[in-house]
Amino acid sequence: MSVQEPPEAVTEEAVAMLLHLAFIEIRFQASTLTDDQSPEGLAKRCGRIGEVADLCHNLPGYLAPERRGRAAEGLRYAWRISSGRRRSWLRSRLDHLGYDYGWLEALDVEEAAT
């Protein structure tokens, strides 16, 4: 993976597709419950919806015309505030999209060095 930030157009497309995947996942998690849905299962689904929504809630603004050219900033912020499952979610979705997020992982190394 590269430590160099991809071109902004590539990052904008990745952010748009990341949001698309997030909406699909939220819709799936919020779909009609089955009769045998346990309270624990329901709580887990609601928690997952919240995690994905919290992680992505700022990203649409970076696709607005007045903020074009700053999608990398939004993705960088989402990466920095994430850890654990949220970071795993980002990695898996960016892998699915074929987006090289090595530059985001390099942020962790830079922060650890300071």
Side-chain angles (χ1 to χ4, degrees):
M1 289 194 171
S2 174
V3 295
Q4 186 174 359
E5 193 174 300
E8 188 62 30
V10 172
T11 300
E12 283 182 14
E13 183 177 350
V15 167
M17 293 306 299
L18 187 66
L19 289 167
H20 173 77
L21 294 173
F23 294 150
I24 290 171
E25 184 166 334
I26 289 169
R27 186 173 185 180
F28 173 76
Q29 293 291 337
S31 66
T32 306
L33 300 175
T34 60
D35 291 337
D36 63 347
Q37 182 72 50
S38 69
E40 295 82 19
L42 177 58
K44 185 176 179 179
R45 287 172 74 168
C46 288
R48 193 72 183 137
I49 289 169
E51 285 181 347
V52 173
D54 285 348
L55 181 59
C56 295
H57 83 275
N58 286 325
L59 291 177
Y62 288 96
L63 299 177
E66 65 275 6
R67 292 182 86 183
R68 283 287 161 102
R70 294 177 54 195
E73 181 182 326
L75 200 51
R76 185 179 302 109
Y77 177 76
W79 185 268
R80 283 192 168 140
I81 65 165
S82 300
S83 62
R85 287 180 7 158
R86 292 178 186 196
R87 183 73 63 89
S88 293
W89 186 88
L90 276 171
R91 280 189 183 103
S92 70
R93 296 331 180 262
L94 293 172
D95 280 340
H96 174 77
L97 297 171
Y99 181 79
D100 183 359
Y101 56 89
W103 67 279
L104 293 169
E105 290 182 323
L107 296 173
D108 297 337
V109 174
E110 289 173 15
E111 288 177 4
T114 57

